[in-house]
Amino acid sequence: IFTALADMYSEYGLGPERADTMVRIGDVERAGLSYSFHSDMPMAPGRPLFLMHCGVNRTTVSGRVAAPDQRATRLGALSAITLDAARSLRLESEIGSIVPGKLANFTILGDNPLTVEAPAIKDIPVWGTVHEGRILPVG
């Protein structure tokens, strides 16, 4: 994950300027290109809201913001973990958005990632999921 490694890459190997701008999501988004946030589990956590948080905030482990002009917008980051992630798998006609005809599999969140304070995106509680039309509360 970029935010976990940016400080290390800055100190060892790439230098601060190259390390901070190595994931240029802001430029990609401004160019109108599709991108997805995903996990290389088990090497990185399978936590979509954490990935959204990283893209929107770009806060490194040390607490600094790496290349703030490369931040994703909230809507862009949300799309990167939903519809654009499905598009990267070539499954956008089946998953990734809530529309008639697609699988009704989605997560029910305890807050809105588009309006909650940006640093709190990663902490939004998951209320449950809907899987094939069945509501499954967490716990």
Side-chain angles (χ1 to χ4, degrees):
I1 297 172
F2 165 74
T3 57
L5 299 174
D7 289 332
M8 185 180 300
Y9 287 155
S10 180
E11 188 174 340
Y12 303 103
L14 296 178
E17 185 176 323
R18 287 177 59 210
D20 282 4
T21 59
M22 68 180 184
V23 180
R24 305 182 71 83
I25 296 299
D27 288 343
V28 168
E29 210 175 275
R30 285 186 289 277
L33 302 172
S34 174
Y35 62 94
S36 67
F37 291 152
H38 56 277
S39 169
D40 293 335
M41 235 177 116
M43 294 176 58
R47 297 176 41 211
L49 289 173
F50 178 71
L51 297 173
M52 181 180 178
H53 163 85
C54 291
V56 168
N57 293 289
R58 292 184 68 91
T59 305
T60 69
V61 172
S62 69
R64 68 185 181 81
V65 175
D69 64 315
Q70 294 305 319
R71 289 178 173 145
T73 64
R74 289 172 188 247
L75 192 55
L78 182 61
S79 186
I81 62 173
T82 56
L83 187 56
D84 289 336
R87 186 175 292 120
S88 73
L89 296 170
R90 296 185 177 159
L91 294 173
E92 68 271 21
S93 64
E94 299 173 40
I95 62 173
S97 60
I98 305 168
V99 297
K102 290 190 178 185
L103 295 174
N105 300 338
F106 55 90
T107 304
I108 304 167
L109 302 177
D111 212 333
N112 184 341
L114 299 177
T115 59
V116 71
E117 293 291 324
I121 292 170
K122 68 182 179 351
D123 302 317
I124 294 173
V126 174
W127 182 89
T129 60
V130 173
H131 181 259
E132 297 179 0
R134 295 186 319 269
I135 298 172
L136 305 169
V138 171

